Amino acid sequence: MPVTTIESRTIDLAELAQQLRADAVRCSSRAGSGHPTSSMSAADLMAVLLAGHLKYDFSDPELPGNDRLIFSKGHASPLLYAMLRAAGVIDEEELLTYRRLGSVLEGHPTPRLPWIDVATGSLGQGLPIGVGMALAGKRLSAAPYRVWVLCGDSELAEGSMWESFAAAAYEGLGNLTAIVDVNRLGQNGPTRYGWDTAAYASQIGSFGWNTIEIDGHDPEAIERAYRQAEQATDRPTAILARTKKGKGVAAVENREGMHGKPLPNLEEALAELGQGANIRVRVAEPEYREPRMERPGRSIHLPRFDIGSTAATREAFGRALVAVGDASPDVVVLDGEVADSTRTAYFAEAHPERFFQCYIAEQQMIANAIGMQALGWVPYAATFAAFLTRAHDFLRMAAIGGADLRLAGSHAGVSIGRDGPSQMGLEDLAMMRPLWRSVVMYPCDANQAAHLTATMVDLPGISYLRTTRGETPVIYRPDELFPVGGSRTLVSSGSDKVTIVAAGVTVSEALSASEQLADIGIPARVIDAYSIKPIDVSTLRQAAAETGRVLTVEDHWPVGGLGDAVLDAIGGHLPSIRFTKLGVRGMPASASPTEQLAAAGIDADAIVNAARRLAA
């Protein structure tokens, strides 16, 4: 089956596949590491895709009509880079920099290369992200692109894959094709079903997918399967391709113990593969060439809450989100079947075409957001703070890939009350702070929450807003500004003996405590550290230097949250400061919000007692 190259000659697809194998072997051998055998099994699959079905303008990677190709089995990166060489966008010299210091050809793909949309390598994530891209194509965009995802059979053991199979079938994503490289061998021995493609077809087909079983080394069978996938416009297609790991080199073909290793003899392997071809494939460009979406100028009219009233910060988040959506046609909102609780239901009512109900599938919710932002959309994703822990690996990988995400975790801390510890987000600050380029914010009142919700729309990286279930006093005016990296000093005097640093629900407790402390002759400075990362280092250091004592109080475990952020800011610079950290130290149970704060030792009385000991 011939293909046309830029030299205007034809070449057999099998020869192109051998070139891809040879290049994968060569770059892995030069690096002394990598996964050539995992690349060799899928070479025929990718040769047919590259030569005849992928529609992509490599000179304009952001073109809305481009198909999207995701290597969910990211360890097969040598194959991906070999495809880029065959497409003429990298040369042999660059290919051989694979895995070397300073090279953009990393061990697993990242968007440091302009033709790669998302970082992959943690298995089970590429297909869920592909679902998000396909969902955007079906519901948000007029661009008729197709999403192709190369999967490995080992990753079919990941639960996130089955979340994506369910979601794609439910949404009828006929623009999504999963190409499963069933090569039988995992890192350590055979996979669960080996070459039994019928077992996979039965399981995936039960979700409503179109399934096709083929010999993954037969170009004609692969060609037919791709055409069938393109014609199945009402549902997604999974192509289950039986392949051999290490295909083409007898020393490694279908042999255990060769995963993640260069081939033992490079010259013999290249001779067996018939290396010598130098094929360049003219990849078809998309017919749809409308201009990409332009970012709007934003004029956001936020909700206003009166000082002296009470309101939940989750309520302010939901109402502010509507205002952000009114001003921003590129904003989309995703929820994990808790829209009434997170208050994203307001956005769903105002902008239903840009609201995505992801159900109780937090990994898929975050994957959808990652896929959508890669295509230029601006996603906000919300669920209970506690449940975001299920998707932390997706967030870790999103950070590696430079994704821009806006997350909201509601029902944080013991202050939610009687639902008990399974619903209390007590780890979320510690989970979000270490993420690369993350911003972590914890508002204490409704106007602050509304402002920070709007601020997130233009923040790069992963930003996280922690919201509270119960109502808190409104202490700030609606027009006040709260810059990222800032704080607010709410109580201060020249004779302060202790600094109390609080955030969120503990701010009102700290204010109450400061009044009680003033009555007993212990003036206390109160700082609202609403920006936990980046934290207001200069204000904290100045307060610590002037008072000599710092007390932090947070509705969170004492590890990794506000207290540690403050200690990081001042500890090594002012070693003589006396420091006390209040947080939730015992396992909570069901109780009222007031009882919970008291039992956890983070209410006003606990703050007073801790400040008295610190000031003694």
CSV table of all heavy atoms in Angstrom, one decimal, residues 22-65:
chain,number,residue,atom,x,y,z
A,22,ALA,N,13.4,1.3,13.4
A,22,ALA,CA,14.9,1.5,13.4
A,22,ALA,C,15.2,2.8,14.1
A,22,ALA,O,16.2,2.9,14.9
A,22,ALA,CB,15.4,1.5,11.9
A,23,ASP,N,14.5,3.9,13.8
A,23,ASP,CA,14.7,5.1,14.5
A,23,ASP,C,14.5,5.0,16.0
A,23,ASP,O,15.3,5.6,16.8
A,23,ASP,CB,13.9,6.2,13.9
A,23,ASP,CG,14.4,6.8,12.6
A,23,ASP,OD1,15.6,6.5,12.3
A,23,ASP,OD2,13.7,7.5,11.9
A,24,ALA,N,13.5,4.3,16.4
A,24,ALA,CA,13.2,4.1,17.8
A,24,ALA,C,14.4,3.4,18.5
A,24,ALA,O,14.8,3.7,19.6
A,24,ALA,CB,11.9,3.4,18.0
A,25,VAL,N,14.9,2.4,17.8
A,25,VAL,CA,16.0,1.6,18.3
A,25,VAL,C,17.2,2.4,18.4
A,25,VAL,O,18.0,2.4,19.4
A,25,VAL,CB,16.2,0.3,17.4
A,25,VAL,CG1,17.5,-0.3,17.7
A,25,VAL,CG2,15.1,-0.6,17.6
A,26,ARG,N,17.5,3.2,17.3
A,26,ARG,CA,18.7,4.0,17.3
A,26,ARG,C,18.8,5.1,18.4
A,26,ARG,O,19.8,5.2,19.1
A,26,ARG,CB,18.9,4.7,15.9
A,26,ARG,CG,19.2,3.7,14.8
A,26,ARG,CD,19.7,4.4,13.5
A,26,ARG,NE,18.7,5.3,13.0
A,26,ARG,CZ,18.9,6.6,12.7
A,26,ARG,NH1,20.1,7.1,12.9
A,26,ARG,NH2,17.9,7.3,12.2
A,27,CYS,N,17.7,5.8,18.5
A,27,CYS,CA,17.7,6.9,19.5
A,27,CYS,C,17.8,6.3,21.0
A,27,CYS,O,18.4,6.9,21.8
A,27,CYS,CB,16.6,7.8,19.4
A,27,CYS,SG,14.9,7.2,19.8
A,28,SER,N,17.1,5.2,21.2
A,28,SER,CA,17.2,4.5,22.5
A,28,SER,C,18.6,4.0,22.8
A,28,SER,O,19.1,4.1,23.9
A,28,SER,CB,16.2,3.4,22.6
A,28,SER,OG,14.9,3.9,22.4
A,29,SER,N,19.2,3.4,21.8
A,29,SER,CA,20.6,2.9,22.0
A,29,SER,C,21.5,4.1,22.2
A,29,SER,O,22.4,4.0,23.1
A,29,SER,CB,21.0,2.1,20.8
A,29,SER,OG,20.2,0.9,20.7
A,30,ARG,N,21.4,5.2,21.5
A,30,ARG,CA,22.3,6.3,21.8
A,30,ARG,C,22.1,6.9,23.2
A,30,ARG,O,23.1,7.2,23.8
A,30,ARG,CB,22.0,7.4,20.7
A,30,ARG,CG,22.7,8.7,21.0
A,30,ARG,CD,24.2,8.6,20.8
A,30,ARG,NE,24.6,8.3,19.4
A,30,ARG,CZ,24.8,9.3,18.5
A,30,ARG,NH1,24.8,10.6,18.9
A,30,ARG,NH2,25.1,9.0,17.3
A,31,ALA,N,20.8,6.9,23.7
A,31,ALA,CA,20.6,7.4,25.0
A,31,ALA,C,21.0,6.4,26.1
A,31,ALA,O,21.2,6.8,27.2
A,31,ALA,CB,19.1,7.7,25.2
A,32,GLY,N,21.1,5.1,25.7
A,32,GLY,CA,21.4,4.1,26.7
A,32,GLY,C,20.2,3.7,27.6
A,32,GLY,O,20.3,3.1,28.6
A,33,SER,N,19.0,4.2,27.2
A,33,SER,CA,17.8,3.9,28.0
A,33,SER,C,16.6,4.2,27.1
A,33,SER,O,16.7,4.8,26.0
A,33,SER,CB,17.7,4.8,29.2
A,33,SER,OG,17.6,6.2,28.9
A,34,GLY,N,15.4,3.8,27.6
A,34,GLY,CA,14.2,4.1,26.8
A,34,GLY,C,13.4,2.8,26.6
A,34,GLY,O,13.8,1.8,27.2
A,35,HIS,N,12.4,2.9,25.8
A,35,HIS,CA,11.5,1.7,25.6
A,35,HIS,C,11.3,1.4,24.1
A,35,HIS,O,10.3,1.6,23.5
A,35,HIS,CB,10.1,2.1,26.2
A,35,HIS,CG,10.2,2.3,27.7
A,35,HIS,ND1,10.6,3.4,28.3
A,35,HIS,CD2,9.8,1.5,28.7
A,35,HIS,CE1,10.6,3.3,29.6
A,35,HIS,NE2,10.1,2.2,29.9
A,36,PRO,N,12.4,0.9,23.5
A,36,PRO,CA,12.3,0.6,22.1
A,36,PRO,C,11.3,-0.5,21.8
A,36,PRO,O,10.6,-0.5,20.8
A,36,PRO,CB,13.7,0.2,21.7
A,36,PRO,CG,14.4,-0.2,23.0
A,36,PRO,CD,13.7,0.6,24.0
A,37,THR,N,11.3,-1.6,22.6
A,37,THR,CA,10.4,-2.7,22.3
A,37,THR,C,8.9,-2.3,22.3
A,37,THR,O,8.1,-2.8,21.6
A,37,THR,CB,10.7,-3.9,23.2
A,37,THR,OG1,10.4,-3.5,24.6
A,37,THR,CG2,12.1,-4.4,23.1
A,38,SER,N,8.6,-1.4,23.3
A,38,SER,CA,7.2,-0.9,23.3
A,38,SER,C,6.9,-0.1,22.1
A,38,SER,O,5.7,0.1,21.8
A,38,SER,CB,7.0,-0.2,24.6
A,38,SER,OG,7.2,-1.0,25.8
A,39,SER,N,7.9,0.5,21.5
A,39,SER,CA,7.7,1.4,20.3
A,39,SER,C,7.5,0.5,19.1
A,39,SER,O,6.7,0.7,18.2
A,39,SER,CB,8.9,2.3,20.2
A,39,SER,OG,9.0,3.2,21.3
A,40,MET,N,8.3,-0.6,19.1
A,40,MET,CA,8.4,-1.4,17.9
A,40,MET,C,7.0,-2.2,17.7
A,40,MET,O,6.6,-2.4,16.5
A,40,MET,CB,9.5,-2.4,18.0
A,40,MET,CG,10.9,-1.8,18.0
A,40,MET,SD,12.2,-2.8,18.8
A,40,MET,CE,12.4,-4.0,17.4
A,41,SER,N,6.3,-2.5,18.7
A,41,SER,CA,5.1,-3.2,18.6
A,41,SER,C,4.0,-2.3,17.9
A,41,SER,O,3.2,-2.9,17.2
A,41,SER,CB,4.6,-3.7,19.9
A,41,SER,OG,4.3,-2.6,20.8
A,42,ALA,N,4.1,-1.0,18.1
A,42,ALA,CA,3.0,-0.1,17.6
A,42,ALA,C,3.4,0.6,16.3
A,42,ALA,O,2.7,1.4,15.8
A,42,ALA,CB,2.6,0.9,18.6
A,43,ALA,N,4.6,0.2,15.7
A,43,ALA,CA,5.1,1.0,14.5
A,43,ALA,C,4.2,0.8,13.3
A,43,ALA,O,4.0,1.8,12.6
A,43,ALA,CB,6.5,0.5,14.2
A,44,ASP,N,3.6,-0.3,13.1
A,44,ASP,CA,2.7,-0.5,11.9
A,44,ASP,C,1.5,0.4,12.1
A,44,ASP,O,1.0,1.0,11.2
A,44,ASP,CB,2.3,-1.9,11.7
A,44,ASP,CG,3.5,-2.8,11.3
A,44,ASP,OD1,4.1,-2.6,10.2
A,44,ASP,OD2,3.9,-3.6,12.2
A,45,LEU,N,1.0,0.4,13.3
A,45,LEU,CA,-0.2,1.2,13.6
A,45,LEU,C,0.0,2.7,13.3
A,45,LEU,O,-0.8,3.3,12.8
A,45,LEU,CB,-0.6,1.0,15.1
A,45,LEU,CG,-1.0,-0.5,15.5
A,45,LEU,CD1,-1.1,-0.6,17.0
A,45,LEU,CD2,-2.4,-0.8,14.9
A,46,MET,N,1.2,3.2,13.8
A,46,MET,CA,1.5,4.6,13.6
A,46,MET,C,1.9,4.9,12.2
A,46,MET,O,1.6,6.0,11.7
A,46,MET,CB,2.5,5.0,14.6
A,46,MET,CG,2.0,5.0,16.1
A,46,MET,SD,0.6,6.1,16.4
A,46,MET,CE,-0.8,4.9,16.3
A,47,ALA,N,2.5,4.0,11.5
A,47,ALA,CA,2.8,4.2,10.1
A,47,ALA,C,1.6,4.5,9.2
A,47,ALA,O,1.5,5.4,8.4
A,47,ALA,CB,3.6,3.1,9.5
A,48,VAL,N,0.6,3.6,9.4
A,48,VAL,CA,-0.6,3.8,8.6
A,48,VAL,C,-1.4,5.1,9.0
A,48,VAL,O,-1.9,5.8,8.2
A,48,VAL,CB,-1.6,2.6,8.8
A,48,VAL,CG1,-2.9,2.8,8.1
A,48,VAL,CG2,-0.9,1.3,8.4
A,49,LEU,N,-1.3,5.4,10.3
A,49,LEU,CA,-2.0,6.6,10.8
A,49,LEU,C,-1.3,7.8,10.2
A,49,LEU,O,-2.0,8.8,9.6
A,49,LEU,CB,-2.0,6.7,12.3
A,49,LEU,CG,-2.7,7.9,12.9
A,49,LEU,CD1,-4.2,7.8,12.7
A,49,LEU,CD2,-2.4,8.0,14.4
A,50,LEU,N,0.0,7.9,10.3
A,50,LEU,CA,0.7,9.1,9.8
A,50,LEU,C,0.6,9.3,8.3
A,50,LEU,O,0.4,10.4,7.8
A,50,LEU,CB,2.2,8.9,10.2
A,50,LEU,CG,3.2,10.0,9.9
A,50,LEU,CD1,2.9,11.2,10.8
A,50,LEU,CD2,4.6,9.6,10.0
A,51,ALA,N,0.6,8.2,7.6
A,51,ALA,CA,0.6,8.3,6.1
A,51,ALA,C,-0.7,8.5,5.5
A,51,ALA,O,-0.8,9.1,4.4
A,51,ALA,CB,1.3,7.0,5.5
A,52,GLY,N,-1.8,8.1,6.2
A,52,GLY,CA,-3.1,8.1,5.5
A,52,GLY,C,-4.3,8.7,6.2
A,52,GLY,O,-5.3,8.9,5.6
A,53,HIS,N,-4.1,8.9,7.6
A,53,HIS,CA,-5.4,9.3,8.3
A,53,HIS,C,-5.2,10.5,9.2
A,53,HIS,O,-6.2,11.2,9.4
A,53,HIS,CB,-5.8,8.1,9.1
A,53,HIS,CG,-6.3,6.9,8.3
A,53,HIS,ND1,-7.6,6.8,7.8
A,53,HIS,CD2,-5.6,5.9,7.7
A,53,HIS,CE1,-7.7,5.7,7.1
A,53,HIS,NE2,-6.5,5.2,7.0
A,54,LEU,N,-4.0,10.7,9.7
A,54,LEU,CA,-3.8,11.9,10.6
A,54,LEU,C,-3.9,13.1,9.7
A,54,LEU,O,-3.2,13.2,8.6
A,54,LEU,CB,-2.5,11.8,11.3
A,54,LEU,CG,-2.2,12.9,12.3
A,54,LEU,CD1,-3.1,12.8,13.5
A,54,LEU,CD2,-0.7,12.9,12.7
A,55,LYS,N,-4.7,14.1,10.1
A,55,LYS,CA,-4.7,15.4,9.4
A,55,LYS,C,-4.2,16.5,10.3
A,55,LYS,O,-4.8,16.8,11.4
A,55,LYS,CB,-6.2,15.7,9.0
A,55,LYS,CG,-6.8,14.7,8.0
A,55,LYS,CD,-8.3,15.1,7.7
A,55,LYS,CE,-8.8,14.1,6.7
A,55,LYS,NZ,-8.8,12.7,7.1
A,56,TYR,N,-3.0,17.0,9.9
A,56,TYR,CA,-2.3,17.9,10.9
A,56,TYR,C,-1.4,18.8,10.1
A,56,TYR,O,-0.6,18.3,9.2
A,56,TYR,CB,-1.5,17.0,11.8
A,56,TYR,CG,-1.0,17.8,13.1
A,56,TYR,CD1,-1.7,17.8,14.2
A,56,TYR,CD2,0.2,18.4,13.0
A,56,TYR,CE1,-1.3,18.5,15.4
A,56,TYR,CE2,0.7,19.1,14.2
A,56,TYR,CZ,-0.1,19.1,15.3
A,56,TYR,OH,0.3,19.8,16.4
A,57,ASP,N,-1.4,20.1,10.4
A,57,ASP,CA,-0.5,21.1,9.8
A,57,ASP,C,0.6,21.3,10.8
A,57,ASP,O,0.4,22.0,11.8
A,57,ASP,CB,-1.3,22.4,9.5
A,57,ASP,CG,-0.4,23.4,8.8
A,57,ASP,OD1,0.8,23.2,8.8
A,57,ASP,OD2,-0.9,24.4,8.3
A,58,PHE,N,1.8,20.7,10.6
A,58,PHE,CA,2.9,20.8,11.6
A,58,PHE,C,3.4,22.2,11.6
A,58,PHE,O,4.1,22.6,12.6
A,58,PHE,CB,4.0,19.8,11.2
A,58,PHE,CG,3.7,18.4,11.6
A,58,PHE,CD1,3.1,17.5,10.7
A,58,PHE,CD2,4.0,17.9,12.8
A,58,PHE,CE1,2.8,16.2,11.0
A,58,PHE,CE2,3.7,16.6,13.2
A,58,PHE,CZ,3.1,15.8,12.3
A,59,SER,N,3.2,23.1,10.6
A,59,SER,CA,3.6,24.4,10.7
A,59,SER,C,2.7,25.3,11.6
A,59,SER,O,3.1,26.4,11.9
A,59,SER,CB,3.7,25.0,9.3
A,59,SER,OG,2.3,25.2,8.8
A,60,ASP,N,1.6,24.8,12.0
A,60,ASP,CA,0.6,25.5,12.8
A,60,ASP,C,0.0,24.6,13.8
A,60,ASP,O,-1.2,24.2,13.6
A,60,ASP,CB,-0.4,26.2,11.9
A,60,ASP,CG,-1.3,27.2,12.7
A,60,ASP,OD1,-1.1,27.3,13.9
A,60,ASP,OD2,-2.2,27.8,12.0
A,61,PRO,N,0.7,24.2,14.9
A,61,PRO,CA,0.2,23.2,15.8
A,61,PRO,C,-1.1,23.6,16.5
A,61,PRO,O,-1.9,22.7,16.9
A,61,PRO,CB,1.3,23.0,16.8
A,61,PRO,CG,2.5,23.5,16.1
A,61,PRO,CD,2.1,24.6,15.2
A,62,GLU,N,-1.4,24.9,16.6
A,62,GLU,CA,-2.6,25.3,17.3
A,62,GLU,C,-3.8,25.5,16.4
A,62,GLU,O,-4.9,25.9,16.8
A,62,GLU,CB,-2.3,26.6,18.0
A,62,GLU,CG,-1.3,26.5,19.1
A,62,GLU,CD,-1.1,27.8,19.9
A,62,GLU,OE1,-1.8,28.8,19.5
A,62,GLU,OE2,-0.2,27.9,20.7
A,63,LEU,N,-3.7,25.1,15.1
A,63,LEU,CA,-4.8,25.2,14.2
A,63,LEU,C,-6.0,24.4,14.7
A,63,LEU,O,-5.9,23.2,15.0
A,63,LEU,CB,-4.3,24.7,12.8
A,63,LEU,CG,-5.3,24.9,11.7
A,63,LEU,CD1,-5.4,26.4,11.3
A,63,LEU,CD2,-4.9,24.1,10.4
A,64,PRO,N,-7.1,25.1,14.8
A,64,PRO,CA,-8.3,24.4,15.4
A,64,PRO,C,-8.7,23.1,14.7
A,64,PRO,O,-9.2,22.2,15.3
A,64,PRO,CB,-9.4,25.4,15.4
A,64,PRO,CG,-8.7,26.7,15.4
A,64,PRO,CD,-7.4,26.5,14.6
A,65,GLY,N,-8.4,23.0,13.4
A,65,GLY,CA,-8.9,21.8,12.6
A,65,GLY,C,-7.9,20.7,12.7
A,65,GLY,O,-8.2,19.6,12.2
